[in-house]
Amino acid sequence: MRDYTQDYRRYVVAGVALLIVVVYIIRLFTLQITSDDYKKSADSNAFLKKIEYPSRGGIYDRNGKLLVYNQPAYDIMVVMNEAKDHLDTLDFCEALNITREEFDRRMETIKDRSKNPGYSRFTQQIFMSQLSDADYSVFQEKMFRYPGIYIQRRTIRQYRYPIAAHVLGDVAEVSPADIEEDPYYQPGDYIGKLGVERSYEQQLRGEKGMQILLRDAHGRVQGRYQNGRFDRRPVAGKNLTLSLDADLQALGERLMEGKIGSIVAIEPRTGEVLCMVSSPSYDPRMMVGRQRSRSHRLLSQNVWKPLLNRSIMGQYPPGSTFKTTQGLTFITEGIIHPTQTAYPCQHGFNYKGLHVGCHGHAAPLPLVPALSTSCNGYFCWGLYYMIGAKQKYGSVQEAMNKWRDYMVSMGFGYKLGIDLPGEKRGLIPNAQFYDKAYKGSWNGLTIISIAIGQGEVNATPLQIANLGATIANRGWFITPHVVKRIQGEPLDTLYTQRRQTMASRSAYDYVVQGMRASATGGTCHELARYDFMACGKTGTAQNRGHDHSVFMGFAPMDKPQIAVAVYVENGGWGATYGVPIGGLIMEQYIHGHLSEASKQKAEELQNRHISYGTTSR
């Protein structure tokens, strides 16, 4: 009788053997044909791929002044496979003026794949970055002693003037997150971290080049592979022309010395930012080279937060500058008639036990003098009647959302979209916000303070300046931007297209008249001394401590060249700091210089510091 058990076992053994053979064949095919792991290893021994870094694009102001440029720097590179048994460590440390402990620490960091995921012992790794010309000259004389050590030439940023740090930004070594996000970067590369250096990184950085060098069996470089046939030359980064006026920026930073706050100036016709001052600031030259880490740490620990760009990150109550938006909305919606004098103001808004104070002035008033004198009562009544107009809107919620839509159309409540990182949106409340806060039981009296730029309303200085530009244009604006031109490349259409607001042209005409009246005899009367027709609106934003001094305006009235917002924390009345600083900024830009009287005024304001105590802000 046949033993089928033996046959079955024979088939099993044969099947296992066949499977093992198939697995080996597949693995050999993978290693030799589909995988390039061994090829890479062989190439690493035969070739030295030397990266050539491009020059980063230069940065200029609107008048062609060079603001940021490059200067040579040198990185010390090490190939671990060549240096491990042949490098005289003590002599090498002495040449670089470092300790043996620092040498060991740097070597361990290079080999740590969690910090250096691209590590290979056959390729160049960065040991020390950004040697100066002087240090490099000394070290170069001893290079022949150190096998496995190479020099890589690159450039570092230099800043010509101690201004505009928040706009320009800085450059630093890439983080692991940067490398993971963009395969262009390798450990030791540099990337823009803040300002336009960050937002225009791809235009500024250029494209790397590469030399392929042939090595012998001992790792010694024999020359270029195939006479450089496969080399790739670096492509320099593109130059940027900013919309900033360097002289205007320098004046603004002078005027804000000893103060916390911001100045933003915009060219209304184009949306170009003419100056952007955030105070306190710092000298951008602090953030260059090997001192950057220490400088950044000191600045980040400063209680006054000089690294914070308050122009786009500070979220403040706009105060009475916001009354212009209310007038525009109420006129367009037919809530008020601009010549109507129906709203009383007995030192403020008084109704059903609610009092919102106001300074003494004649009353009742139509819109133009209400803006000129900054009457709280007028605009509180306007909001009360709009939110309560159920016959027109159906409910307080619909009225509130209509109000919100007007504010958003004027550039509030959302990021404007400036070409700088870190912009904040501010806050414009809607019906849902108040329904949640008051469980659906609220009316115009509940939220009355938003009519005068207080309460829940918050805005950035950039948004307030943009309001000035929108009024100057009588109803439209172009998204503010700090880059005027990119070499060989058009601007994003976001920075060339008009954005129309919901308010009518006739409403803007009345508001402009009110702002002009404010400059000739109202709260901005100091502007009357200039030989151009300035328009302005003050704000005194309430605060837990001393009030903030706010100003928003533009000039000239009929052919506007500049719109300005000034925000000085704890500066008191808008006329105390906001108006005089705003007027000087206007004069400097329109005439290109200050009069002798204005120079004295500027010096006085520069030396007038505000005491903020020691509380962390």
Side-chain angles (χ1 to χ4, degrees):
M1 179 181 245
R2 186 172 180 180
D3 187 353
Y4 287 100
T5 304
Q6 291 292 340
D7 290 345
Y8 177 74
R9 289 176 179 172
R10 191 181 304 116
Y11 289 137
V12 170
V13 171
V16 170
L18 181 62
L19 179 63
I20 292 172
V21 170
V22 170
V23 168
Y24 270 102
I25 291 173
I26 292 173
R27 180 60 180 158
L28 287 171
F29 179 82
T30 301
L31 289 173
Q32 296 182 34
I33 307 299
T34 64
S35 173
D36 61 354
D37 289 350
Y38 284 94
K39 181 177 182 299
K40 286 180 179 177
S41 180
D43 286 350
S44 295
N45 285 300
F47 301 119
L48 176 65
K49 295 181 178 179
K50 185 177 180 182
I51 293 175
E52 293 187 307
Y53 287 92
S55 294
R56 201 167 173 87
I59 303 177
Y60 300 81
D61 91 329
R62 67 185 297 110
N63 299 312
K65 287 186 177 180
L66 181 62
L67 302 177
V68 187
Y69 60 99
N70 303 306
Q71 76 172 27
Y74 303 88
D75 292 345
I76 297 178
M77 313 296 291
V78 58
V79 177
M80 293 296 210
N81 198 51
E82 299 175 23
K84 63 179 181 178
D85 297 322
H86 308 287
L87 184 63
D88 185 338
T89 304
L90 293 178
D91 186 47
F92 180 71
C93 290
E94 185 178 337
L96 288 177
N97 194 27
I98 61 174
T99 64
R100 175 58 189 265
E101 290 74 22
E102 186 175 353
F103 172 87
D104 291 338
R105 179 175 56 79
R106 287 175 180 268
M107 284 298 201
E108 288 303 315
T109 300
I110 289 172
K111 291 184 284 187
D112 185 346
R113 292 185 183 275
S114 66
K115 298 178 180 177
N116 185 14
Y119 170 70
S120 168
R121 61 193 178 93
F122 299 105
T123 60
Q124 291 188 10
Q125 307 292 318
I126 188 164
F127 177 83
M128 181 180 287
S129 63
Q130 300 185 352
L131 265 68
S132 65
D133 275 335
D135 292 339
Y136 167 66
S137 298
V138 173
F139 182 76
Q140 187 184 33
E141 296 177 1
K142 304 178 181 180
M143 273 276 295
F144 70 94
R145 301 182 191 175
Y146 312 126
I149 299 298
Y150 299 87
I151 290 291
Q152 183 167 264
R153 187 181 186 279
R154 64 196 312 160
T155 59
I156 59 173
R157 296 303 243 177
Q158 287 294 330
Y159 300 86
R160 192 168 184 183
Y161 305 102
I163 61 171
H166 295 98
V167 175
L168 297 174
D170 67 304
V171 174
E173 193 168 333
V174 292
S175 66
D178 294 324
I179 297 170
E180 186 177 347
E181 185 178 332
D182 189 340
Y184 173 87
Y185 299 104
Q186 298 176 356
D189 284 356
Y190 291 88
I191 190 172
K193 291 291 185 180
L194 296 169
V196 294
E197 294 278 18
R198 182 70 178 185
S199 51
Y200 288 87
E201 164 67 14
Q202 292 195 359
Q203 289 85 356
L204 288 167
R205 74 187 184 188
E207 297 177 18
K208 297 175 189 170
M210 181 178 290
Q211 285 186 28
I212 304 177
L213 306 177
L214 191 63
R215 299 194 287 196
D216 61 19
H218 300 286
R220 293 172 298 201
V221 174
Q222 300 299 302
R224 290 189 173 186
Y225 176 61
Q226 292 195 12
N227 294 319
R229 178 183 173 188
F230 297 102
D231 290 355
R232 187 173 67 249
R233 294 181 63 83
V235 178
K238 297 177 180 179
N239 295 332
L240 298 183
T241 299
L242 302 188
S243 57
L244 295 189
D245 182 312
D247 293 336
L248 192 67
Q249 181 76 23
L251 172 63
E253 295 194 15
R254 276 181 52 209
L255 295 173
M256 289 298 291
E257 285 183 16
K259 308 166 189 69
I260 295 176
S262 171
I263 304 171
V264 179
I266 297 173
E267 184 179 66
R269 181 179 56 84
T270 62
E272 293 171 3
V273 175
L274 302 172
C275 78
M276 179 176 282
V277 177
S278 177
S279 181
S281 186
Y282 58 94
D283 188 336
R285 293 173 291 194
M286 293 172 61
M287 306 293 275
V288 171
R290 293 161 66 184
Q291 68 173 340
R292 182 190 182 275
S293 294
R294 180 175 178 273
S295 297
H296 189 274
R297 185 174 64 255
L298 292 174
L299 290 170
S300 63
Q301 293 171 349
N302 189 311
V303 296
W304 306 117
K305 301 180 181 178
L307 289 174
L308 179 69
N309 185 354
R310 289 172 167 83
S311 298
I312 62 173
M313 298 177 179
Q315 299 177 93
Y316 303 102
S320 293
T321 62
F322 203 61
K323 291 172 182 173
T324 55
T325 66
Q326 305 309 287
L328 292 166
T329 302
F330 302 152
I331 293 172
T332 306
E333 284 295 290
I335 303 300
I336 65 173
H337 189 281
T339 60
Q340 185 180 6
T341 58
Y343 302 142
C345 182
Q346 288 90 28
H347 291 278
F349 173 82
N350 298 282
Y351 190 65
K352 293 186 177 180
L354 178 64
H355 174 70
V356 179
C358 188
H359 56 277
H361 60 76
L365 296 170
L367 175 70
V368 169
L371 282 171
S372 172
T373 60
S374 198
C375 172
N376 284 343
Y378 185 93
F379 297 98
C380 286
W381 281 112
L383 182 75
Y384 173 74
Y385 282 122
M386 179 173 180
I387 299 301
K390 291 185 180 181
Q391 190 171 2
K392 181 177 179 67
Y393 301 109
S395 67
V396 295
Q397 285 80 7
E398 288 301 317
M400 184 70 216
N401 286 338
K402 174 64 74 171
W403 178 90
R404 184 272 321 272
D405 291 344
Y406 270 88
M407 300 307 107
V408 170
S409 79
M410 296 177 199
F412 293 97
Y414 293 91
K415 296 177 183 179
L416 279 166
I418 191 170
D419 49 347
L420 288 174
E423 183 188 5
K424 300 298 183 184
R425 62 181 290 175
L427 175 63
I428 294 295
N430 58 14
Q432 185 180 11
F433 179 94
Y434 287 123
D435 282 342
K436 183 177 180 181
Y438 296 105
K439 299 185 179 357
S441 179
W442 56 277
N443 57 36
L445 294 178
T446 317
I447 62 170
I448 201 69
S449 58
I450 65 174
I452 55 174
Q454 298 286 164
E456 293 74 30
V457 170
N458 274 329
T460 65
L462 175 68
Q463 290 171 332
I464 300 172
N466 186 65
L467 172 63
T470 305
I471 297 171
N473 290 332
R474 277 60 165 184
W476 59 268
F477 66 92
I478 292 176
T479 301
H481 50 285
V482 297
V483 169
K484 180 181 178 70
R485 187 165 51 252
I486 307 169
Q487 180 185 6
E489 184 178 320
L491 285 180
D492 191 310
T493 54
L494 176 65
Y495 306 123
T496 59
Q497 294 178 348
R498 292 186 178 188
R499 295 166 61 175
Q500 202 75 31
T501 77
M502 293 172 62
S504 66
R505 170 59 193 253
S506 61
Y508 278 100
D509 288 338
Y510 279 110
V511 168
V512 169
Q513 291 177 38
M515 292 177 67
R516 179 58 186 159
S518 180
T520 55
T523 56
C524 298
H525 60 84
E526 186 173 333
L527 297 178
R529 72 182 184 87
Y530 294 105
D531 61 357
F532 47 84
M533 295 178 67
C535 299
K537 182 72 195 74
T538 54
T540 305
Q542 294 176 7
N543 180 44
R544 284 173 295 180
H546 208 41
D547 293 343
H548 302 318
S549 178
V550 196
F551 168 76
M552 178 271 293
F554 63 91
M557 175 179 172
D558 294 324
K559 294 183 178 179
Q561 299 176 39
I562 181 172
V564 186
V566 181
Y567 210 106
V568 179
E569 294 188 25
N570 306 132
W573 297 104
T576 305
Y577 286 102
V579 175
I581 290 175
L584 292 171
I585 293 293
M586 290 177 178
E587 180 184 11
Q588 171 67 37
Y589 185 69
I590 290 172
H591 292 319
H593 59 84
L594 296 179
S595 66
E596 289 303 317
S598 292
K599 287 178 183 177
Q600 293 179 13
K601 185 68 176 178
E603 186 174 353
E604 175 198 334
L605 285 166
Q606 180 182 355
N607 295 327
R608 196 194 304 171
H609 294 185
I610 298 174
S611 176
Y612 292 97
T614 56
T615 304
S616 175
R617 305 192 68 81

